[in-house]
Amino acid sequence: MRTLIIRCDGNHDVGMGHVSRCLALAAELRDREHCTVTFAMRGLETAGAAAVRAAGFAVDAVNADVHADYGEELQAIAASHTAAALVVDVRDALSRASLDAIRGGGIRIVSIDDGTDRRLAADLAFYPPVPQVDEMDWAGFAGRRCAGWEWVLLRREFVTEYAPSPEISDASPAIDVLVTMGGSDPAGLTEIALAALDLLPMPLAVCVVTGPAFTRDDSLSVAVARSTHAVRIASAPESLAPLMRASRLAVVSFGMSAYELAACGVPAVHVCLTDDHARSSSAFDAEGAAVTAGVFGRLTPQQLHDPIRRLIGRADRRAEMGRRASRLVDGRGAARVAALVAAAI
């Protein structure tokens, strides 16, 4: 059997998006392409490692500090498994030179959404349809670059054919606004969203999703108690897709959830942690599939309230945005990526 190593992390600091999309890819590699997949992760007691083990994959420890180049350690992990390929989805000090050395040993390198020069060491580099990709310097890149909506890595639950039957979905309570700010929400965007919703005069059914690495339960409880709406909390739900499909509108931190909502046909207002995220979110804005509200630190609850208000009372506009979104993301990106990776090894 062909063996692959997937290098990613998931914790309070980096969130859970990297783990989510890497698990989507790992499942397709295992189930469709009959590959053996092992994860290499920093911290075996993190929420990310727990999610990987729960999905049935083994985890090897990366011991190097986040600020250190750990290429030799990663090469040793790959060699111990006789790996044919290494999938890299990290935001740390791993260098291009380290990946060049690993690739020189006959191991294929797969890069996921990497903005550093590490991408130039990849045999395959995959990106969502963000404007930054074409602006990068690709001189010296000898691999294959794949960028677009069709390469977005999502779990199978977001493929339309895996949607629950109408009988099951109708049993879910209708959600006026879904608030989901990622696996950890270190910036406290959930509370900002609730403050923005409190500026709306009409009563709403609000569902707040907190991820497995969320640690601000006390401050969230205060915000919920203060809210003028009927707010319920879904803590680390096993599946997000049913909640998304039951929602009329979502307020979300830009990241994997933005693509998941698009696959579910749910119009969304994006709150961005960085200017780079705002640029990536602009791809949705340009397609009429979501609204980019602004960047954390420069976005007040009043400013976030405005796009929510304009959408909440416009069923026709929400429906059109949902249709546009679902046409962009079909949820099959992980299967496409897995097929290319398997073919390369």
Side-chain angles (χ1 to χ4, degrees):
M1 294 197 47
R2 298 164 293 181
T3 300
L4 298 93
I5 303 296
I6 295 182
R7 169 72 191 103
C8 68
D9 291 318
N11 52 51
H12 178 265
D13 294 329
V14 302
M16 295 291 287
H18 302 282
V19 170
S20 176
R21 64 189 179 190
C22 284
L23 278 175
L25 175 58
E28 299 300 333
L29 286 167
R30 178 187 61 192
D31 301 340
R32 291 180 185 268
E33 306 301 337
H34 310 293
C35 296
T36 299
V37 180
T38 296
F39 281 70
M41 307 184 76
R42 184 178 284 109
L44 296 184
E45 303 306 317
T46 62
V52 168
R53 288 192 294 267
F57 297 97
V59 183
D60 280 12
V62 172
N63 298 307
D65 182 81
V66 67
H67 301 296
D69 183 2
Y70 52 95
E72 291 185 2
E73 182 182 6
L74 190 55
Q75 189 166 19
I77 291 172
S80 71
H81 292 277
T82 319
L86 169 65
V87 179
V88 179
D89 186 2
V90 294
R91 300 291 185 269
D92 60 18
L94 181 65
S95 69
R96 176 188 176 183
S98 290
L99 290 186
D100 278 331
I102 294 172
R103 188 186 187 197
I107 296 174
R108 298 286 190 182
I109 303 296
V110 180
S111 172
I112 305 296
D113 195 14
D114 198 331
T116 73
D117 67 350
R118 281 191 302 255
R119 71 190 185 280
L120 301 178
D123 296 281
L124 293 167
F126 297 97
Y127 294 88
V130 296
Q132 298 94 314
V133 176
D134 288 331
E135 297 168 2
M136 298 174 186
D137 182 1
W138 289 93
F141 179 65
R144 177 177 176 181
R145 183 181 76 183
C146 302
W149 299 102
E150 68 271 29
W151 303 109
V152 174
L153 297 169
L154 298 182
R155 300 186 301 279
R156 289 177 197 158
E157 65 188 274
F158 295 102
V159 178
T160 302
E161 68 190 59
Y162 290 100
S165 68
E167 292 78 13
I168 296 175
S169 62
D170 284 348
S172 302
I175 300 168
D176 292 318
V177 181
L178 181 73
V179 177
T180 175
M181 298 298 181
S184 59
D185 187 18
L189 299 180
T190 302
E191 289 91 326
I192 294 173
L194 288 176
L197 291 172
D198 282 341
L199 297 173
L200 294 167
M202 71 288 286
L204 298 170
V206 178
C207 179
V208 172
V209 175
T210 59
F214 187 83
T215 59
R216 292 190 331 283
D217 297 282
D218 290 344
S219 60
L220 176 57
S221 295
V222 171
V224 169
R226 189 171 52 226
S227 178
T228 58
H229 305 294
V231 181
R232 66 184 179 98
I233 299 174
S235 179
E238 183 176 342
S239 177
L240 268 176
L243 287 173
M244 290 182 174
R245 292 189 175 106
S247 302
R248 297 185 174 92
L249 175 67
V251 182
V252 55
S253 63
F254 183 80
M256 291 309 301
S257 294
Y259 298 97
E260 292 168 352
L261 286 161
C264 291
V266 179
V269 176
H270 295 168
V271 181
C272 303
L273 277 172
T274 66
D275 289 318
D276 186 64
H277 282 187
R279 292 210 65 209
S280 298
S281 172
S282 70
F284 288 81
D285 239 327
E287 297 286 351
V291 176
T292 307
V295 178
F296 171 70
R298 304 194 299 271
L299 181 67
T300 66
Q302 177 64 53
Q303 290 168 324
L304 177 56
H305 151 267
D306 288 340
I308 298 172
R309 175 183 55 80
R310 288 195 296 269
L311 282 173
I312 201 69
R314 289 287 306 275
D316 56 340
R317 188 181 177 204
R318 292 199 313 272
E320 178 59 23
M321 288 179 68
R323 284 191 291 269
R324 288 174 178 267
S326 61
R327 286 198 293 264
L328 294 175
V329 184
D330 65 5
R332 295 180 174 83
R336 295 187 185 98
V337 172
L340 280 187
V341 171
I345 59 175

